Amino acid sequence: MSKIKTAFFCSNCGYESPKWSGKCPSCNSWNTFVEEVISKDVSQKEKQWRNDDSKNNGAKTIALNEIKSSEHQRIVTGDAELNRVLGGGIVPGSLVLVAGEPGIGKSTLFLQNALQMKNITTLYISGEESDQQIKLRADRLKVQNESFYLLTETLTQTIFQEIKKLQPDLVIVDSIQTIQSPYIDSSPGSVSQIRECTSEFQRFAKDTNIPVFLIGHITKDGSIAGPKILEHMVDTVLQFEGDRHYAYRILRTLKNRFGSTAELGIYEMSSEGMRGVNNPSDILLTQKEDRLSGIAIAATIEGMRPLLIEVQALVTQSVYGTPQRTVSGFDLRRLQLLLAVLEKRGGFHFGVKDVFLNIAGGIKVEDPSIDLAVLCSLLSSYEDIPLPYDICFAGEVGLSGEIRAVNRIEQRIAEAEKLGFEKIIVSKYTQKAINHQQFNIEIVQMGRVEELYQYLFN
């Protein structure tokens, strides 16, 4: 009997070591090494799924000038939001990793998209649910597709044998943490199993030019489960996120070798599956008849898409010794920076106030252009004076109290005009001159926070 070989893997980055160590030398994480059994049969592994006459068996070096460029036609799905985040459609031979919290709707979204693509043959591989469970979900979606095939299996060798028989145009694996390779003697979901299974699907996708979607789990802190090397191996990483208490979900691109990494898709969860939202600004703005203090509208941009979002602030007298700072959908340190600017440059005593800030709709925003709206909502709640309902803001606030310019200002102005706003406040330091005549909205340009306070509240 051959000796069992073991190695230690870092569960954070996938670094391999022959002995245990308290600190990973690759990512500097503590107590992340786990021992796993590794036993690979190279003679069997060489066979795998590919045929003996596979084109990659005779690999050789070739000059770059000798390679002919070819534009592969993307597979355009029936989901405009998914096409946007992928950069225009599914690239043949690509390996896409989709991650999200349990119950957020990953399986529903991709089952729905697979059923809607009736012109291609799709193989849906499930390692978590039975065929009856998937059939029940498909009946709920009310979409019929005769080119959709289902396989409930976790062993990679069996999966590739079925793929050989079916010859599909698209493969969806749900989820990669449940798939197991016979060449690794460890349990499914371990570092070595995830890496080996992903590597096998990667070679399959590149050799056959068939796109593969891998659905994955995330950890408690929101990062993708498994080593970081998993994200490096795939071509595209999509994160499906959102608060389960809201009906809206966001599909965000974290990595994309074939398009922009700043794209965003917004969905609404309904009883019949996921519905793409064409105009998200309408759902992110609350329609109110009464004017309330502490509410400001920000013109932001996510990817290539302009959005108008509602910023809500509540400033109250602090009851405890240390004032509270609570945020939802915004960076806490950025809020503390803006409060310091108001304290130093404006003379407002926020040091004795509790401050609560919320981005309506459950969306998380990192665009610095919403600084101006956050600052105005804080001032509105502090003075208890409502802001005009027909005004919105787009600007970054500096430490000296200046209103800094933001990029693609014309797209933000056009979105505000489309939604019926009459005024938008922007920085006067915009590098590109704004053509006021091409817009029917009043554009107010300011340079200092003090000017803005005088304009709004005096």
Side-chain angles (χ1 to χ4, degrees):
M1 181 181 291
S2 60
K3 184 180 178 181
I4 297 176
K5 297 174 63 178
T6 62
F8 292 87
F9 292 92
C10 172
S11 58
N12 184 47
C13 67
Y15 180 82
E16 183 177 349
S17 172
K19 61 180 182 178
W20 185 87
S21 175
K23 182 180 180 181
C24 175
S26 177
C27 65
N28 297 324
S29 299
W30 287 91
N31 298 324
T32 55
F33 274 98
V34 290
E35 185 179 14
E36 293 180 6
V37 177
I38 52 172
S39 177
K40 299 183 180 181
D41 188 348
V42 179
S43 61
Q44 284 186 353
K45 190 174 179 183
E46 286 176 351
K47 298 178 184 178
Q48 279 193 353
W49 53 269
R50 59 169 74 139
N51 297 321
D52 294 334
D53 57 348
S54 176
K55 60 180 179 181
N56 283 344
N57 286 346
K60 62 177 183 178
T61 349
I62 187 170
L64 181 63
N65 296 334
E66 297 177 14
I67 302 174
K68 295 181 180 179
S69 1
S70 59
E71 283 292 332
H72 291 291
Q73 188 71 29
R74 290 178 183 250
I75 301 172
V76 180
T77 70
D79 186 347
E81 301 296 307
L82 181 60
N83 292 333
R84 177 185 287 109
V85 296
L86 290 175
I90 304 171
V91 176
S94 61
L95 188 64
V96 181
L97 174 64
V98 185
E101 294 181 359
I104 203 72
K106 305 181 298 296
S107 301
T108 301
L109 175 65
F110 284 91
L111 177 63
Q112 175 181 311
N113 278 301
L115 289 170
Q116 288 174 348
M117 291 187 284
K118 301 182 179 181
N119 55 338
I120 65 172
T121 303
T122 304
L123 176 61
Y124 189 96
I125 302 163
S126 176
E128 297 181 342
E129 298 175 286
S130 67
D131 48 3
Q132 289 295 326
Q133 290 175 306
I134 297 172
K135 174 63 175 173
L136 286 173
R137 189 190 300 125
D139 292 341
R140 180 169 56 86
L141 296 174
K142 298 178 181 177
V143 182
Q144 299 294 328
N145 186 355
E146 295 182 357
S147 301
F148 178 85
Y149 294 88
L150 180 63
L151 174 64
T152 52
E153 180 58 55
T154 58
L155 196 63
T156 54
Q157 287 300 93
T158 309
I159 290 171
F160 288 128
Q161 288 172 8
E162 292 298 318
I163 288 176
K164 271 185 183 180
K165 298 176 187 175
L166 183 63
Q167 297 293 322
D169 301 310
L170 174 66
V171 175
I172 300 173
V173 181
D174 183 14
S175 69
I176 187 62
Q177 273 84 9
T178 61
I179 304 300
Q180 185 175 12
S181 172
Y183 310 116
I184 299 291
D185 291 336
S186 58
S187 59
S190 61
V191 175
S192 53
Q193 276 288 359
I194 292 176
R195 183 167 57 179
E196 177 63 27
C197 293
T198 305
S199 177
E200 289 185 27
F201 278 110
Q202 181 193 41
R203 289 191 291 270
F204 161 76
K206 302 308 174 188
D207 287 352
T208 61
N209 221 25
I210 296 173
V212 178
F213 280 84
L214 304 177
I215 298 177
H217 301 159
I218 64 170
T219 58
K220 290 180 181 178
D221 59 354
S223 58
I224 297 173
K228 289 295 279 187
I229 194 172
L230 182 63
E231 298 179 46
H232 295 296
M233 293 169 69
V234 300
D235 299 312
T236 305
V237 179
L238 305 180
Q239 183 138 340
F240 203 42
E241 58 190 40
D243 193 329
R244 65 178 59 193
H245 300 295
Y246 290 92
Y248 306 110
R249 304 286 187 266
I250 296 172
L251 187 63
R252 198 183 297 272
T253 313
L254 303 183
K255 170 189 175 181
N256 194 355
R257 289 176 178 160
F258 313 112
S260 170
T261 56
E263 287 300 344
L264 188 79
I266 299 183
Y267 294 89
E268 181 181 7
M269 173 74 90
S270 66
S271 59
E272 297 181 0
M274 297 287 180
R275 183 182 64 86
V277 178
N278 296 324
N279 191 2
S281 297
D282 283 341
I283 65 172
L284 296 175
L285 297 180
T286 308
Q287 305 297 328
K288 296 187 182 72
E289 295 181 0
D290 299 330
R291 290 171 56 192
L292 304 173
S293 63
I295 293 178
I297 307 300
T300 182
I301 285 186
E302 287 285 347
M304 302 297 291
R305 165 186 280 182
L307 295 176
L308 263 68
I309 59 175
E310 183 178 304
V311 181
Q312 301 172 344
L314 180 63
V315 180
T316 61
Q317 190 67 34
S318 179
V319 179
Y320 307 102
T322 304
Q324 297 183 67
R325 303 285 185 261
T326 305
V327 296
S328 176
F330 191 68
D331 186 9
L332 177 60
R333 290 172 294 182
R334 191 74 184 171
L335 172 63
Q336 293 171 338
L337 182 148
L338 295 174
L339 291 175
V341 170
L342 288 173
E343 188 100 21
K344 176 74 174 177
R345 306 297 174 188
F348 298 97
H349 299 295
F350 281 95
V352 294
K353 303 283 188 181
D354 289 337
V355 177
F356 305 91
L357 189 74
N358 176 48
I359 305 297
I363 191 171
K364 295 179 182 178
V365 184
E366 298 177 353
D367 187 0
S369 67
I370 73 166
D371 284 356
L372 203 56
V374 170
L375 187 139
C376 290
S377 66
L378 291 170
L379 290 175
S380 171
S381 182
Y382 184 92
E383 299 287 356
D384 200 17
I385 299 175
L387 293 171
Y389 62 88
D390 59 351
I391 192 169
C392 63
F393 306 88
E396 182 183 355
V397 177
L399 289 179
S400 61
E402 80 278 13
I403 301 173
R404 302 173 62 86
V406 294
N407 61 348
R408 294 161 61 190
I409 189 64
E410 292 185 347
Q411 282 184 262
R412 303 171 194 263
I413 296 171
E415 181 73 7
E417 181 184 347
K418 185 175 74 173
L419 291 177
F421 286 86
E422 296 180 4
K423 289 182 184 178
I424 181 169
I425 295 180
V426 300
S427 172
K428 71 177 183 181
Y429 302 114
T430 305
Q431 295 179 353
K432 184 180 177 182
I434 301 174
N435 184 4
H436 291 249
Q437 296 181 350
Q438 80 177 85
F439 299 106
N440 294 323
I441 185 174
E442 182 183 348
I443 303 170
V444 182
Q445 294 182 279
M446 294 189 178
R448 303 282 304 173
V449 171
E450 298 92 324
E451 296 176 44
L452 180 61
Y453 179 79
Q454 294 291 333
Y455 179 80
L456 293 174
F457 300 103
N458 286 344

